[in-house]
Amino acid sequence: MIQDLRYCEDDMLFETDLCLIGTGAAGIAIAREFLGSKFKVCLVESGGLDLDPTIQKLNETEDSGLPRKPHTETRQRIFGGATNHWTGLCGLLSDHDFDPHSWIPDSGWPIKKTELDVYYEKALEVCQDRQRIFDSRVWELLNKTAPPISRSKLQEFFVHYSPSLRFGQTYRQVIADAKNIQAVLHANVTSLDANQRATHVKGASLRTLSGKSGRIRARVYVLCAGGIDNARLMLLSNGVESYGLGNRSNVVGRFFMDHPRAKVGEVIQSGHVPLHNLYCDFESKLGRFRPGLALSYMLQSKERVLNCGLYLWRNKDADSRGPQEVRTLLKRLRNGDLTASEFSSQLDLVVRDLDRIAWDLSRRLTGTESAQIERPRLDVMCILEQAPVPSSRVMLSERQDALGLRRAKVDWRVTELEKRTVAVGMKALALEFGRLNLGRVHLEEWISNDNLDWTHYLEDYNHHMGTTRMADDPNKGVVNRDCQVHGIDNLFIAGSSVFPTSGHINPTLTLLALALRLADRLKEKVLR
Amino acid sequence: MRNRRRFMVGLASLPLAIMVDQTRVLPGIPRSSHYSAPNLQMLWSVFENPEEARVVGYRFLKLYQNEGPLGSLMSKIFRIGHTPWNERLLRAYLDTRKRLDFENADVVSVDGWVLSATEARVCAVVALTGKEIR
């Protein structure tokens, strides 16, 4: 059943076994696990079935750290949450991404990757992705021969384009038809109300933008509202303890991480291995892949750096526009409809691409494929693991949103370790590509020039992680290994906010695996 | 911009080193008693685009001023003596040296491009000897 709080009677009380706050990938994945069970489930969503700019404004934040894209664009208050603009990229964290690293303070998960393996499988089913292989075996299945890159330095990996499932659209009917599941739309949770000892959540207060109220009473609550709002809601729930719910150790909101990304260099291909056919996005009978090269664990530990993924992208500006631009230029010259300024800009494109034009011309003159291989210029993009540091954090701003709630204040910070990781990764790439005569690598100036503000070249990736991190020690984390908030018997958290460290891979599949694992725990141990 | 383009074209030509049959004998080629080097014409012939290689060489010499002069460069490139040199041997030797440079991280950074020290030095030799060849 899907309901709209705006059209319910005022102060309506929803009673349920399990309350899921947020209907993104985690919330819907957990709800699916309870389909047809004996437990009543209530999904609560701030938005509706369509994106509404007024509701999106509730996502506005105050940013005090590194600049980030506007949160009104990166988060979606709508049934299905951020899956409504998800690219569908699925990948696995590596075994070592879960391990504590002596050179990275506060690193490491309390669980091993093996505990997630079965849930990664299930997560792929939820995403309707049939791909199960994310390592160099992809080459074997496609009968491709990859260059013998030293695995002691760089490790090949693949992320797969799943069908970019819009969870809200895909599972809407299933949820609407389910007898034991109800979704309540336009219902903003304004606070979680705890008992006097702050050890048990008694209820959740709801409000619409039009001022209507409601309340949920559940046996168990799971926050699935994303890496910023999970923390924000805990901080806002300060009716019993002024520092917020589950925040006795002052960890809620801290260790905020994203995957910083940047263009870090270029590659000129040298030998006869067409790198762009191997390491750029490609379609195949197995689906669409994005291959990449990550730092090996050996190199990470030797150089005492983080992990990072390096991707090659065709530089379309420098690569393939030339011949087309020549034709456009000639045609428009013949037609006499080219202005002086247009001519100069067109000519600039042509001049920048003389090599490509010459190659194309010779191919057409001879009528055959030239023996010369196509060697497009490639950009190197880097997606970085971010060091978990407590000073990078989500707090409460003094500014209020339309509901009168304090907005989130995001202070995103990176460390010199991230920069050093880029330098180590690019050096490894340059040495390996050179050794194998695959190409020569250019490093962006900010990597080696300490006079440049390197953070200026980074951008965020909408992967909000770490703000309710997992740790066995209540003083070091917000949730335990079962994703239960320390000290609160019926409050759990799903989503990438529980990641203690992030690896470099897109987080959706991992957060889904954790959510499905949590669903099993709730069914087996908590709600039974 | 044009220089940058030539620099990049030069880089692209480096690893493609194609040997062509050039048997002209050049006058005034410096020789050293400390190393056994092929003649410069042979060295030039490893490039598809020697002019572009010169651009790379000039940049390298400007950034690494302790690399010159010519005799010093040649002795660094041809540490192991081979007599007599021929084009096949030269190509194999330079390929091996480049590979070893990358394996041993014996590289230089020229305007951000990571090059093997040997290939940068060969470019420098080409840059320094352009007039003699012409």
Side-chain angles (χ1 to χ4, degrees), chain A residues 444-514:
Chain A
E444 290 290 300
E445 190 181 0
W446 58 264
I447 297 171
S448 53
N449 186 340
D450 290 337
N451 294 322
L452 293 175
D453 176 11
W454 67 284
T455 61
H456 175 74
Y457 300 88
L458 300 179
E459 63 173 356
D460 55 315
Y461 203 2
N462 315 331
H463 297 165
H464 308 141
M465 299 171 283
T467 52
T468 61
R469 69 196 323 250
M470 183 191 289
D472 282 336
D473 182 347
N475 294 314
K476 293 187 173 177
V478 176
V479 298
N480 65 19
R481 60 176 61 211
D482 287 331
C483 295
Q484 179 185 352
V485 175
H486 284 294
I488 303 179
D489 64 1
N490 66 339
L491 182 59
F492 294 79
I493 299 181
S496 51
S497 65
V498 305
F499 290 14
T501 52
S502 67
H504 64 83
I505 212 82
N506 302 62
T508 304
L509 204 62
T510 302
L511 77 85
L512 274 171
L514 282 166

Side-chain angles (χ1 to χ4, degrees), chain B residues 64-108:
Chain B
Y64 295 83
Q65 294 185 1
N66 58 346
E67 281 286 333
L70 186 60
S72 166
L73 284 166
M74 292 291 269
S75 67
K76 286 172 186 165
I77 298 168
F78 299 103
R79 281 178 219 161
I80 305 162
H82 285 284
T83 312
W85 285 96
N86 61 41
E87 291 161 1
R88 188 183 58 78
L89 195 60
L90 176 60
R91 180 171 60 175
Y93 175 77
L94 291 179
D95 281 350
T96 304
R97 282 298 303 270
K98 280 190 288 183
R99 183 171 52 75
L100 288 172
D101 283 352
F102 283 113
E103 273 182 21
N104 299 324
D106 188 7
V107 291
V108 295

Side-chain angles (χ1 to χ4, degrees), chain A residues 238-423:
Chain A
N238 55 4
V240 177
E241 294 179 333
S242 59
Y243 35 77
L245 199 57
N247 194 27
R248 286 177 187 166
S249 302
N250 192 19
V251 182
V252 172
R254 294 187 181 274
F255 299 97
F256 174 68
M257 300 176 290
D258 200 318
H259 283 132
R261 61 176 176 172
K263 180 187 170 187
V264 288
E266 289 176 53
V267 176
I268 290 179
Q269 302 189 59
S270 54
H272 295 286
V273 177
L275 284 178
H276 57 288
N277 287 343
L278 289 169
Y279 291 116
C280 294
D281 278 21
F282 66 84
E283 289 276 356
S284 73
K285 62 183 180 185
L286 301 176
R288 187 176 169 205
F289 286 96
R290 174 173 292 176
L293 293 163
L295 297 196
S296 71
Y297 181 66
M298 195 183 290
L299 189 60
Q300 286 177 57
S301 50
K302 181 183 167 202
E303 298 288 343
R304 302 172 71 80
V305 292
L306 299 152
N307 203 347
C308 77
L310 300 169
Y311 299 86
L312 302 188
W313 286 4
R314 282 183 87 122
N315 183 331
K316 288 181 179 147
D317 282 341
D319 166 26
S320 59
R321 294 170 69 185
Q324 187 188 342
E325 295 297 340
V326 167
R327 285 190 282 276
T328 306
L329 185 62
L330 291 172
K331 188 176 171 188
R332 296 194 67 185
L333 276 172
R334 275 199 298 271
N335 294 342
D337 65 347
L338 207 65
T339 66
S341 67
E342 282 175 331
F343 177 80
S344 61
S345 65
Q346 290 274 5
L347 199 61
D348 179 54
L349 288 170
V350 172
V351 169
R352 280 197 288 140
D353 204 15
L354 282 176
D355 281 355
R356 180 74 176 81
I357 293 161
W359 178 75
D360 186 67
L361 192 64
S362 75
R363 193 179 54 170
R364 285 193 291 121
L365 285 174
T366 58
T368 57
E369 285 293 316
S370 167
Q372 183 182 357
I373 61 163
E374 188 191 10
R375 290 182 293 151
R377 285 255 300 284
L378 303 172
D379 285 344
V380 187
M381 305 298 296
C382 179
I383 296 179
L384 271 164
E385 177 180 22
Q386 185 181 336
V389 290
S391 56
S392 180
R393 63 188 292 203
V394 172
M395 299 166 278
L396 292 180
S397 164
E398 293 305 317
R399 298 179 195 164
Q400 295 184 345
D401 66 13
L403 293 161
L405 302 174
R406 291 170 73 183
R407 294 189 180 281
K409 180 177 179 179
V410 182
D411 187 352
W412 182 39
R413 299 186 188 191
V414 293
T415 68
E416 283 297 309
L417 190 55
E418 282 85 332
K419 183 183 177 188
R420 202 154 62 75
T421 301
V422 172

Side-chain angles (χ1 to χ4, degrees), chain A residues 33 143 154 167 181 202 352 416 423 446 521:
Chain A
E33 293 298 300
N143 289 323
L154 296 168
F167 280 43
I181 298 178
K202 295 188 300 180
R352 280 197 288 140
E416 283 297 309
W446 58 264
R521 297 284 196 278

Side-chain angles (χ1 to χ4, degrees), chain A residues 511-526:
Chain A
L511 77 85
L512 274 171
L514 282 166
L516 295 168
R517 176 174 169 271
L518 172 58
D520 272 1
R521 297 284 196 278
L522 293 175
K523 276 190 284 189
E524 292 163 8
K525 294 183 182 172
V526 184

